[in-house]
């Protein structure tokens, strides 16, 4: 039995599905601060609790005889962490300490921790390996790194095996009708691109086009959530027990502009875009060296640019079939105030269209 903390969130609900698909039993604990119980199958044991409540956690671990915990619950936004750092240190550092303590007391064998590429900060090399320096530039990245340190310290001293999986930019499988289902609109790039494609958002804000990259926009390593889940399941079955930290990325960098252009090509229409100032906490470029994960037999199956962008196209198609009949192109015609994506002037970018 695997207990998934934060299992009602974006990655969590995909991981629950991956468990079901592979015959792995699982249960979820989540305080629903950013998740939805409705997105989980009814027969999955669900406990509404905060990870900082050690007594509740211990009771759940004991009653289900849990041997593996996948710890996803966290505050997850780089930009929000700059505005509210304590929220991040409370949940991500103290919450992880409480989860680890409960695991130790209840005899859990393996704790798999959802860490992040944000622990590396501004990389000194094009690709980062697990041994690259960790100099996070946001409270989010620092909080996730501090939690890694707690877990590696425990692993050296106690019976609990811990591994930090450093997820790069997870994409795909977003909730379509976020407002109807009560999901908070995800801030992630691919989610925002999908919203603009559906007409749920009038235009895409591109945060900075003056970075030192080939086209001026940020570069990220996007990994499809299904590929991510297969890596988590590999670790949950002991396939990464000799590692203490692992990069989980596809291993290729894609810029914001390349994502937008590929989405436009797929959909056959322009995405309205506005260039905004750089977003605090963003780094210009970060790409995984995922060689260690590959040597364990993992390969990304769904994380190529066409696959990632195909999602936007497929979702638009799904939306056309199931919802109010709005078509992407019609949506564009109804919102003509930002006619051409890349050519907005500094003046036009200063105010909303
Ligand atoms: N999405 C990404 O691109 C990405 C990349 C790197 C790392 N990660 C990490 O993966 C994990 C999951 O991310 P996500 O994108 O699914 O985020 P999410 O916000 O969709 O999911 C997090 C879940 O944790 C729950 N939660 C938050 N605080 C809690 C608390 N105190 N007690 C119990 N539950 C709580 C929320 O309700 C939510 O359901 C996080 O640890 C995040 O740092 C995500
Ligand atoms: O509407 C948007 C959204 C994003 N971006 C840009 O797209 C890139 C990616 O941003 P986003 O999708 O928000 O992801 P990150 O800020 O890179 O952070 C994600 O990826 C990290 C790992 O790299 C995780 O730790 C975080 O939890 C997760 O939010 C950045 O350059 C953003 O400035 C835009 O230009 N417009």
């Amino acid at each position: 039995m695997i207990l998934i903390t934060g299992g009602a969130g974006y990655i969590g609900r995909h991981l629950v599905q991956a468990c079901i698909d592979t015959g792995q039993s699982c249960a979820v604990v989540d305080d629903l601060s950013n998740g939805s119980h409705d997105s989980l199958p009814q027969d999955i044991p669900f406990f509404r609790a905060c990870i900082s409540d050690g007594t509740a956690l211990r009771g759940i671990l004991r009653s289900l005889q849990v041997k593996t915990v996948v710890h996803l619950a966290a505050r997850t936004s780089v930009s929000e962490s700059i505005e509210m750092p304590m929220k991040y240190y409370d949940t991500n550092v103290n919450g992880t300490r409480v989860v680890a303590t409960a695991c130790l007391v209840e005899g859990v064998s393996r704790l798999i921790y959802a860490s992040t590429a944000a622990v590396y900060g501004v990389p000194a090399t094009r690709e980062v390996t697990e041994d690259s320096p960790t100099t996070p530039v946001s409270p989010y990245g620092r909080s996730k790194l501090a939690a890694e340190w707690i877990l590696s310290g425990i692993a050296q001293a106690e019976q609990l095996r811990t591994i930090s999986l450093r997820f790069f930019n997870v994409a795909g499988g977003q909730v379509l009708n976020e407002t109807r289902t009560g999901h908070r609109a995800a801030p992630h790039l691919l989610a925002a691109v999908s919203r603009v494609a559906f007409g749920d958002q009038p235009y895409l804000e591109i945060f900075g086009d003056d970075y030192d990259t080939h086209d001026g926009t940020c570069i990220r390593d996007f990994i499809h959530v299904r590929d991510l889940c297969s890596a988590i399941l590999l670790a949950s079955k002991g396939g990464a027990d000799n590692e203490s930290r692992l990069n989980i990325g596809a291993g290729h960098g894609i810029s914001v502009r390349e994502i937008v252009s590929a989405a436009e090509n797929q959909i056959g229409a322009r995405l309205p875009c506005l260039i905004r100032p750089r977003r605090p906490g963003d780094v210009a470029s970060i790409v995984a060296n995922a060689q260690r994960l590959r040597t364990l037999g993992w390969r990304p199956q769904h994380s190529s640019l066409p696959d990632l962008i195909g999602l936007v196209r497929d979702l638009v198609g799904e939306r056309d079939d199931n919802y109010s009949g709005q078509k992407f192109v019609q949506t564009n015609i109804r919102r003509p105030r930002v006619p051409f994506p890349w050519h907005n002037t500094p003046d036009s970018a200063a105010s909303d269209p």
Side-chain angles (χ1 to χ4, degrees):
M1 168 67 77
I2 296 179
L3 181 69
I4 305 170
T5 74
Y10 162 51
I11 293 171
R13 59 181 175 267
H14 286 279
L15 184 59
V16 166
Q17 191 55 52
C19 285
I20 294 168
D21 293 346
T22 55
Q24 169 64 57
S25 57
C26 68
V28 165
V29 57
D30 199 299
D31 69 356
L32 300 184
S33 55
N34 196 36
S36 159
H37 188 195
D38 292 346
S39 57
L40 296 174
Q42 289 301 314
D43 52 347
I44 296 298
F46 176 81
F47 303 88
R48 185 172 185 172
C50 176
I51 50 164
S52 300
D53 182 347
T55 310
L57 278 184
R58 286 175 53 188
I60 296 164
L61 293 172
R62 200 177 317 133
S63 67
L64 297 176
Q65 303 269 297
V66 172
K67 287 291 161 218
T68 298
V69 170
V70 178
H71 176 34
L72 301 177
R75 311 296 319 171
T76 65
S77 158
V78 171
S79 48
E80 187 190 57
S81 78
I82 292 166
E83 289 155 25
M84 303 182 210
M86 282 317 287
K87 198 164 156 183
Y88 279 70
Y89 293 121
D90 277 348
T91 303
N92 297 359
V93 184
N94 188 50
T96 300
R97 183 191 62 77
V98 174
V99 170
T101 305
C103 288
L104 283 173
V105 174
E106 298 304 329
V108 169
S109 317
R110 191 178 288 119
L111 172 52
I112 294 162
Y113 172 58
S115 188
T116 166
V119 300
Y120 293 111
V122 181
T125 46
R126 206 185 72 77
E127 288 184 353
V128 285
T129 72
E130 289 82 354
D131 300 323
S132 294
T134 45
T135 51
V137 293
S138 66
Y140 168 68
R142 289 185 202 114
S143 69
K144 299 294 279 187
L145 182 61
E148 277 198 17
W149 286 338
I150 293 173
L151 297 182
S152 59
I154 289 172
Q156 280 164 23
E158 312 267 2
Q159 290 298 311
L160 181 62
R161 202 182 288 277
T162 70
I163 177 162
S164 294
L165 301 182
R166 293 175 174 166
F167 304 170
F168 282 63
N169 285 60
V170 189
Q174 295 93 351
V175 174
L176 289 185
N177 45 349
E178 284 158 329
T179 45
R180 293 180 192 201
T181 56
H183 285 86
R184 214 184 285 166
H188 305 135
L189 178 65
L190 262 289
V193 166
S194 301
R195 280 195 297 274
V196 177
F198 294 145
D200 287 348
Q201 185 175 312
Y203 54 90
L204 180 75
E205 296 180 291
I206 294 182
F207 299 123
D209 68 346
D210 57 350
Y211 284 96
D212 185 16
T213 59
H214 66 281
D215 64 14
T217 62
C218 289
I219 293 174
R220 293 289 181 274
D221 182 335
F222 294 93
I223 175 165
H224 193 283
V225 68
R226 277 197 265 163
D227 288 334
L228 174 87
C229 288
S230 73
I232 297 173
L233 286 181
L234 182 146
S236 74
K237 294 190 173 87
D241 275 357
N242 291 331
E243 307 289 345
S244 58
R245 51 186 190 269
L246 264 186
N247 285 344
I248 315 288
H252 40 80
I254 304 177
S255 77
V256 172
R257 268 195 167 149
E258 284 165 347
I259 290 280
V260 174
S261 299
E264 290 179 335
N265 286 338
Q266 277 285 345
I267 298 163
R270 290 274 181 195
L271 283 186
C273 297
L274 273 185
I275 306 300
R276 292 295 198 195
R278 293 180 179 196
R279 201 173 61 172
D282 276 349
V283 299
S285 174
I286 179 133
V287 179
N289 177 317
Q291 204 47 47
R292 244 186 237 181
L293 178 63
R294 284 170 180 262
T295 58
L296 301 176
W298 175 90
R299 295 285 180 281
Q301 307 283 326
H302 310 282
S303 299
S304 66
L305 182 56
D307 277 347
L308 291 164
I309 294 303
L311 280 158
V312 176
R313 180 203 55 209
D314 295 346
L315 294 180
V316 171
E318 198 176 317
R319 178 66 168 249
D320 283 347
D321 291 338
N322 296 335
Y323 292 93
S324 61
Q326 283 183 342
K327 287 206 186 294
F328 170 75
V329 176
Q330 290 173 345
T331 306
N332 252 355
I333 291 167
R334 284 195 294 107
R335 299 181 194 272
R337 284 178 293 173
V338 190
F340 205 71
W342 312 120
H343 297 166
N344 61 314
T345 62
D347 283 350
S348 68
S351 59
D352 286 352

